[in-house]
Amino acid sequence: MTDHAYVTEAMKRAFWQDGAVLLPQVLAPTWMDLVAAGIERNLRNPGPNHQQHYAGTPRAFVDDYCNYWVIPEFRMLVEHSDIAPIVATLLGSTNLWLYYEQIFVKDAPVGEARRTPWHQDTTYWITGGRQLAGFWITLDDTPAEESLEFVRGSHLGPTYAGTAFDYGDETTPYAHARDGYDRIPDIEADREAHDIFSFAVERGDVVLFHPGLLHGGGATASSAPRRPLSIRFFGDDVVYDPPVRPAPTYPGTEALLEPGDPLRGPWFPQVHPRSECEPTIPAS
């Protein structure tokens, strides 16, 4: 594979050792405008997976996911920007597939919106393997204390039971968590015991992180909204490994694949390498 010129060895080390890395100004203003248009389209036309969490509380936020095929702005971004080759380079994967995209919208009320719970994405996913990445884009300049937070190196293990997003106790596991997974630690109760880090993000910056990393959204202390788009990718070594209750579900995948098979199928478009006949939109 040919490495993308944007990616440095320091970025690769940070991703694999810490689990997350800041990619400064990786998206030109044109691409950020496209992301904004896509999020607005998604909010006007919610998909079947649209959810409102903690309605009526200071923790309220909206998310929606798996709308890639009906939001043209998301498809243009993934298929024609440099996102896919950059992620493939960081993962060390010759090929790259889209897993899914997801929006989160947190409109801070007067006062303070509480943080979103700590969790690991891979608890819920049908993925086994190492070459996984989340590409976290936010439309709004965000200070480090209000940004996505991570526990350094936690993608290296262990994996904890998925959270039920219980308003009163964010360590409560969901009802059908995989057998043998321990309850997630109460990180907020003892933050000093964990190596927590985050990045101040300006419009055009992106945070790339491993989905096995313990992460959660920082509390929003200002009245500004938070409007992130997260795009999840996987590489060559990822196989089908379904949990008891997957999210997203990907109906019919179990009819095509056996556990341990390479994760391939109609839900997962290959986004790198691009076909030579596809048009490419300039980066700026």
Side-chain angles (χ1 to χ4, degrees), residues 45-75:
N45 303 278
N49 298 308
H50 175 271
Q51 301 178 77
Q52 184 170 17
H53 302 274
Y54 310 128
T57 77
R59 209 175 210 168
F61 71 95
V62 169
D63 83 282
D64 201 354
Y65 57 91
C66 289
N67 295 303
Y68 179 78
W69 299 108
V70 295
I71 306 293
E73 292 87 352
F74 295 165
R75 293 189 64 184

Side-chain angles (χ1 to χ4, degrees), residues 41-124:
R41 184 190 297 273
N42 199 161
L43 291 172
R44 290 195 308 269
N45 303 278
N49 298 308
H50 175 271
Q51 301 178 77
Q52 184 170 17
H53 302 274
Y54 310 128
T57 77
R59 209 175 210 168
F61 71 95
V62 169
D63 83 282
D64 201 354
Y65 57 91
C66 289
N67 295 303
Y68 179 78
W69 299 108
V70 295
I71 306 293
E73 292 87 352
F74 295 165
R75 293 189 64 184
M76 288 175 67
L77 179 72
V78 171
E79 294 174 12
H80 301 299
S81 75
D82 281 347
I83 285 177
I86 286 171
V87 174
T89 298
L90 278 155
L91 289 179
S93 183
T94 300
N95 305 288
L96 194 74
W97 291 264
L98 177 74
Y99 190 53
Y100 70 105
E101 96 303 324
Q102 187 170 17
I103 64 167
F104 301 88
V105 177
K106 182 193 291 185
D107 288 314
V110 176
E112 180 174 314
R114 288 176 63 188
R115 59 171 302 107
T116 51
W118 290 95
H119 62 285
Q120 294 164 298
D121 294 336
T122 46
T123 305
Y124 310 92

